[in-house]
Amino acid sequence: MKRLIFTFIVFLVGFAKAERLEVYGFDQELIKVNDIYFIKNLEIFELQGNSFGKDYKYRVEKDTNFVDLAYQLKVSYYELKQANPDINPFKVPKNTYIKVPLKKQLPEDFKLNTVYISTQDHRLYYPIELEGKKYVITFPVGLGGEDFPTPKGEFKITERRVNPDWVVPPSAKINNPNLPPVVPYGSPENGLGTRALRLNGSSYMIHGTSKRSEKGVGMNISYGCIVLRNNDIERLYNFVNLNTTVIIY
């Protein structure tokens, strides 16, 4: 009997904590940085030390799944999955409350104007200073999986490309031997999207994606590259120059 009472109390405490979360929803306030707009508290956050943001709760409006919800809410699939372990990610009924995890941290020793990519969060972070305050621009990213993991470490951007052709790496040939040596920009088989930032002169890049693969951003969908939605990589492209430091951790 005591154990049942204890379990019930734990349940109530957990439920109360969940209910204290603010309801997800933004007034679409925009912050302009170098003539580029970002949604406040969704794409750009004011930093408090190395921390920012907060978690929300969101009531699902129709039967859905975490892939579609992640795309809608601009978070990654794995962020939703980790924050809501008791919900079936493939079947989320209408009116279900889910946790939207937007409370994050940068590395303690972070530097401004440096690109940080968290393989745990499946997120890219770019801290900046604006009118004497520190902010961080952030987007969900797709990464490589177990077979083609995204490398960790410190890198430099050594090439910037607009509307890039895709030079097909050997790893992609393994999955699709029919791919040509080079897939031109605009082809549905070209997964680089509208922008590409090469790391250390290697085959690894931060790049966009094809329209049919945009919902996969936030999952393990690449051959080791860091993949953003085209609207996100196009805005990031305007901030990062050659030799910008990229730290993947």
Side-chain angles (χ1 to χ4, degrees), residues 45-52 106 110 112 127-128 134-136:
F45 296 80
E46 186 173 345
L47 281 163
Q48 304 294 331
N50 69 322
S51 301
F52 62 94
L106 288 171
F110 79 90
L112 297 176
I128 61 170
K134 292 180 181 178
Y135 291 83
V136 60

Side-chain angles (χ1 to χ4, degrees), residues 129-146:
E129 188 167 11
L130 181 65
E131 297 180 350
K133 295 182 179 180
K134 292 180 181 178
Y135 291 83
V136 60
I137 296 167
T138 179
F139 303 117
V141 298
L143 300 172
E146 291 183 3

Side-chain angles (χ1 to χ4, degrees), residues 24 26 42 58 68-76 80 98-100 102 123 140 229:
Y24 176 94
F26 303 99
L42 185 61
Y58 173 75
D68 289 340
L69 278 171
Y71 184 76
Q72 173 190 343
L73 302 175
K74 289 189 71 69
V75 296
S76 78
L80 284 184
I98 65 167
K99 182 178 179 180
V100 184
L102 290 174
R123 273 197 169 270
R229 297 168 189 161

Side-chain angles (χ1 to χ4, degrees), residues 101-210:
L102 290 174
K103 184 177 181 179
K104 304 292 181 182
Q105 279 189 328
L106 288 171
E108 290 186 2
D109 57 348
F110 79 90
K111 295 182 174 65
L112 297 176
N113 306 312
T114 296
V115 176
Y116 293 90
I117 295 160
S118 168
T119 57
Q120 179 177 345
D121 294 343
H122 280 67
R123 273 197 169 270
L124 179 148
Y125 303 109
Y126 186 70
I128 61 170
E129 188 167 11
L130 181 65
E131 297 180 350
K133 295 182 179 180
K134 292 180 181 178
Y135 291 83
V136 60
I137 296 167
T138 179
F139 303 117
V141 298
L143 300 172
E146 291 183 3
D147 293 335
F148 306 103
T150 299
K152 295 181 180 181
E154 183 173 323
F155 304 85
K156 295 287 186 181
I157 292 175
T158 54
E159 183 183 5
R160 303 167 79 248
R161 295 286 301 276
V162 175
N163 299 340
D165 297 333
W166 181 34
V167 178
V168 179
S171 53
K173 279 280 193 180
I174 294 174
N175 282 351
N176 189 350
N178 296 322
L179 284 172
V182 180
V183 180
Y185 169 75
S187 167
E189 298 298 328
N190 185 331
L192 298 188
T194 58
R195 301 288 187 276
L197 303 165
R198 191 175 302 277
L199 304 179
N200 285 14
S202 69
S203 62
Y204 295 108
M205 292 181 279
I206 302 171
H207 61 75
T209 188
S210 62

Side-chain angles (χ1 to χ4, degrees), residues 80-97:
L80 284 184
K81 189 176 179 180
Q82 291 168 7
N84 301 276
D86 298 328
I87 297 176
N88 182 346
F90 306 108
K91 188 177 181 181
V92 185
K94 179 181 177 180
N95 293 325
T96 301
Y97 276 96

